[in-house]
Each structure stands twice: as C-alpha cells, then as structure tokens.
Amino acid sequence: MQTETMRLRELTVRYSVRKDSKGQAVFVGRTLSNPRDAASALMTLLQDEPSEVFAILCLTTQHRVIAYHEVGRGTLDSVLVHPREVFRGALLANAAAIVASHVHPSGDPTPSPDDLEITRRLAAAGELLGIPVLDHIIIGDGSYYSFKEADRL
C-alpha cells in the first residue's frame, strides 16, 4: 500500500524597495495628505506602462506609505481585478488603509463602467475587512482621475 505524503507550502513575504531611474527609493515613507500627493507618486510608477496595471499603496493609520503592491498586469485596455487579490497584499503588509490605482495606456483617465464597478466592490470589501479604500486613482498621460475628488468614493 502506497501512502502519499502531503506537502505543506510556507507563505513568505519579501519586500524590495522600488527605485526610480536615478536609483532613488520611490516613495515608501511618504505621508499622503490628499489625492494629488498619491497621484504624483503613482504617476512616477505607472504612467509609462504599455498595458493596464492595477496596483495599491498600503498605508499606516497616519496615511504613511508602507508598501506598493502590483496586483495585476493586463492587456492594452483591461486588467483582471478581484477584491481577494487586492486585499491579500494589504493584509500581508499590515495596512490600515489602501489607495487603489491603475493606468489607462490610452492616456485618458476617465473611468469606464468597469472602473466604477470595481471601485464599488473594493470599497465594500474594504469596509468589511476594516481596511478602507481611501481613493482609486486612474493614471492617464500626465493627468489623473481621483474617485475621492469626484465624490464617487
């Protein structure tokens, strides 16, 4: 009789500092006091992406950035986003809140109906988990759209 050994996978978290083209740390430790601060930091990371990228900034209770997490990369005009994947990074980083973001490679940051729906779902999931979504920022070509500034979050 053959017995099969059950394998246990260990969950590990590895952090690395994201750097700009000059080799400087991008923005971990920066305190975000308004959507413009978050958009500025996110434009540095996302505006030159050739396809849609969805990412989150993980924040402390004082809204200091403790982590940047790329949730997913998609195609030219879409990226698959699920609340489970978004909040996994936030939970592992021990975040008190998040700012969600993605880039529109077309350059137009106007939200699509899908953007409105995922923002609603993320806000509801964040409320349930106790990790509020403070904003969802769409990055365009040198511009951004903030759901918080537009009173849609």
Side-chain angles (χ1 to χ4, degrees), residues 59-76:
L59 310 173
T60 66
T61 56
Q62 301 299 313
H63 299 171
R64 189 174 56 82
V65 177
I66 53 175
Y68 166 82
H69 176 64
E70 186 176 296
V71 177
R73 288 183 169 267
T75 63
L76 185 60

Side-chain angles (χ1 to χ4, degrees), residues 2-3 6-7 9 14 24 29 31 40 43 47 49-52 56 60 79 81 90 98-99 122 131 140 146 148-149:
Q2 183 177 0
T3 60
M6 185 179 242
R7 295 178 187 206
R9 297 183 298 175
R14 295 181 190 175
Q24 299 296 317
T31 299
S40 172
M43 276 191 212
Q47 77 178 5
E49 291 289 347
S51 60
E52 283 207 18
I56 60 170
T60 66
V79 61
V81 179
I98 65 168
V99 172
L122 290 175
I131 304 173
S146 163
K148 182 175 182 168
E149 284 181 345

Side-chain angles (χ1 to χ4, degrees), residues 9 11-13 15 54 56 58 67-72 81-95 98 122 125-126 129 131:
R9 297 183 298 175
L11 177 63
T12 60
V13 179
Y15 292 101
F54 194 96
I56 60 170
C58 299
Y68 166 82
H69 176 64
E70 186 176 296
V71 177
V81 179
H82 192 282
R84 173 182 57 239
E85 305 304 322
V86 172
F87 285 98
R88 177 187 303 151
L91 289 166
L92 291 173
N94 203 26
I98 65 168
L122 290 175
L129 292 169
I131 304 173

Side-chain angles (χ1 to χ4, degrees), residues 22-33:
K22 297 174 187 169
Q24 299 296 317
V26 176
F27 54 82
V28 171
R30 176 189 284 184
T31 299
L32 304 179
S33 57

